[in-house]
Amino acid sequence: MNAIEIRNVTKRYGKLVALDRVTFSVEEGTVFGLIGPDGAGKTTLHQILTTLLAPDEGTAAVAGLDVARDFRKLRTQIGYMPERFSLYPDLTVSENLHFFASLFGVDVKDNFDLIAPIFSQLSRFPDRMAGALSGGMKQKLALSCALIHRPKVLFLDEPTTGVDAVSRSEFWDMLPALKERGITILVSTSYMDEAERCERIALINKGKILDADTPERLVEGLGGNLYSASCGDMYPLLEALRRYPGVNDCYTFGAALHLVADEGFNPDEAARKLEQSGLAEVRIRPAKGNIEDLFIKLAKNDG
Amino acid sequence: MSIFQSLVKKEVLHLVRDFRTVTVVLVMPVVLLLLFGFAISTEVNNVRVVAVTDRHTDETRLIADRFRANPYFTFGGTVSYREAESLLRKGKADAAVVFRTEAGRLKLQIVTDASNTTMAQTSAAYIEGVANSSANAADKSAAAVVADTLYNPQLKSAYNFVPGIMGMIFILICAMMTSVSIVSEKESGTMNLLLVSPVRPRTIILGKLVPYFLLSCVILTLMLTLSYTVLEIPFSASVVHVVWVSILYVALALALGLLISAVASTQVSALLVSGVMFMLPVVLMSGMIFPVENMPLPLQWLSCIIPARWYISAMRVLMVQQLPVTYVLTEVAVLSGMTLAVLALAIKKFNAQKR
């Protein structure tokens, strides 16, 4: 059974189309990633699935309940952690947790087993104001608050934005344990490198779903003609490669350049020719593509 | 604990933790009441007056003596006309009384420094009063005018300002604090979490309004206690009506706060809207300082939509005149109608923004 079922969901803000016929489904008990840059429509989709917004067209169902028709019942089944960790900064850690528990009419004690591994570090200072916590701690408290009523589906909207690298990694380590408990997780992120930590992902750009599958299969679809290029002077290299015959695309990728080429592209020959044209120490090697390469390719095809 | 109780408890915690705001909210009404009640008044004291006369008669001496004896005046003696002019110009005198005897009868001319209109008008009226009373004493044949100021025989300005300040404070505190507290939850995103929970929107709204309603009741008690004790507004049975009409007004102010919070998306804009849209009209157009009756007609019509105008006029009747509640039925009806309309609009807007 699918925990989330989205069919042709469209949402417009005036002339701007925030979501354009979005369709995908999330299997029960999986960690599903929604990957896309800022402004792609991730938050809007989250708000529709958590019953905060109604879609203009199309239907969406979460845990078997329609988001528009059965929103009242649905609200007891879902946990939501918005983009910024929305907590009350002037309430203490324990006051925040108890308040959110009371909203759902549950007792913190009854469901504490679920959040215990996440909350363990926080339980050392229950009387600290939430506003005085570090980013990583705030994130853990917000996750605890979103889980305290034992939801069936958990929505995490950019949970790792504005958090240090260690906390980011720790956060992803927490999700499998929740999955084990049968909680379906839809998590959105703009960090492409986090895609590999999801079982399945959907790539979203400008309100459209570009593709959805497991990260491995998606990367396989890239093909083998991806090369990494570097040189002492990067910008002239980028210019030269873009003009080079047989090169379909070239873009900066971290400290190097990535280029997508035709079948018959010979990297050694290209490097030699470029060095002859005045560039120093040109190196072009086959590279293993990742989600970011795929995203750039798909977004380009989409126009 | 029920959901509603925990919502209220949370709101109370916000208030208690924000100690500075609560202090301001509780101290401001007291300071304003005392300031307007005592320090700022339209009464004029110590009018410096000089007399100008070519020759003294018994009559002019009598009037000069009255000025000397009157506590409202500081009599600067008799001077020449030119000297009086220069004293007025230098600001060393506020008014000059010129005596002239024409055809055996004493004529009076009052010259005042009208650079401050209020002061000039009031002191001219005082001088006239003093001069006339002596004229009457001397000339029994003239028709005597006896002025009787009802409800406020000493013309205390506190009587005038207390209803006005109450009208302003409740709009300010209720509308501003409610709207800012709701909008701050919108800004921080916690409002979305409340809306995503199974709690009904009306419970959320009520959980916001009740704590501020209770706070307003504390302020109301504080202000009424001060008015009836320190400011010596006569205490009578009409206080019961003062209380319930005030509570109606508080409810209206809370509804306005709710409406602002539905329209404004940031705390700053909520503050601006409640400050500029409500505070200024209340001060300028509600009759708090400038009488509505003296305004041009279009402004008078405009003042009809300002809730404070109706509340202040009801408070004048109930607190100062101490008339029965039947005299303020119009005001009460208008305030009730406004409360219902604003509340309906606010709830409609609140639900609309969600979808």
Side-chain angles (χ1 to χ4, degrees), chain B residues 36-192:
Chain B
F36 276 97
F38 288 114
I40 302 171
S41 68
T42 48
E43 294 157 32
V44 177
N45 282 320
N46 299 323
V47 180
R48 291 160 304 172
V49 64
V50 291
V52 180
T53 180
D54 32 11
R55 64 193 164 88
H56 270 298
T57 63
D58 287 347
E59 218 175 340
T60 59
R61 259 186 218 107
L62 183 71
I63 294 172
D65 282 344
R66 281 178 174 273
F67 279 120
R68 249 182 225 114
N70 197 310
Y72 288 108
F73 295 103
T74 308
F75 189 63
T78 312
V79 293
S80 72
Y81 191 84
R82 189 168 294 171
E83 212 174 330
E85 212 173 18
S86 108
L87 280 174
L88 279 170
R89 217 168 258 153
K90 286 180 192 155
K92 287 188 176 158
D94 300 310
V97 187
V98 186
F99 298 105
R100 225 179 255 119
T101 313
E102 275 171 24
R105 282 183 66 92
L106 182 71
K107 295 249 165 174
L108 277 177
Q109 186 193 11
I110 301 167
V111 184
T112 54
D113 170 8
S115 55
N116 179 339
T117 345
T118 322
M119 178 108 173
Q121 280 169 351
T122 319
S123 53
Y126 283 174
I127 294 170
E128 227 173 313
V130 171
N132 277 343
S133 65
S134 15
N136 286 338
D139 184 4
K140 300 274 188 231
S141 65
V145 177
V146 182
D148 188 4
T149 49
L150 276 176
Y151 310 122
N152 187 1
Q154 291 157 283
L155 293 173
K156 281 191 185 169
S157 52
Y159 283 36
N160 191 22
F161 280 118
V162 168
I165 289 167
M166 285 173 57
M168 186 175 78
I169 288 285
F170 288 125
I171 280 281
L172 207 65
I173 289 173
C174 302
M176 203 178 262
M177 291 196 67
T178 329
S179 59
V180 167
S181 97
I182 295 178
V183 171
S184 80
E185 292 221 19
K186 279 211 270 184
E187 267 188 319
S188 71
T190 46
M191 184 53 87
N192 276 350

Side-chain angles (χ1 to χ4, degrees), chain A residues 198-219:
Chain A
C198 307
E199 286 165 88
R200 282 171 64 85
I201 56 167
L203 297 175
I204 184 169
N205 188 38
K206 294 179 188 163
K208 281 187 190 156
I209 298 291
L210 302 175
D211 207 345
D213 209 333
T214 64
E216 296 76 29
R217 262 197 298 249
L218 283 172
V219 173

Side-chain angles (χ1 to χ4, degrees), chain A residues 81-93:
Chain A
M81 186 170 142
E83 215 169 331
R84 294 156 296 158
F85 319 123
S86 299
L87 298 161
Y88 294 102
D90 52 344
L91 298 190
T92 65
V93 168

Side-chain angles (χ1 to χ4, degrees), chain B residues 4-5 59 90-91 93-95 105 132 151 172 190 208 214 225 228 246 289 340 346 352 355:
Chain B
F4 179 69
Q5 279 172 324
E59 218 175 340
K90 286 180 192 155
D94 300 310
R105 282 183 66 92
N132 277 343
Y151 310 122
L172 207 65
T190 46
K208 277 276 170 201
L214 294 178
T225 313
Y228 286 118
S246 296
I289 295 176
L340 289 179
R355 290 268 130 189

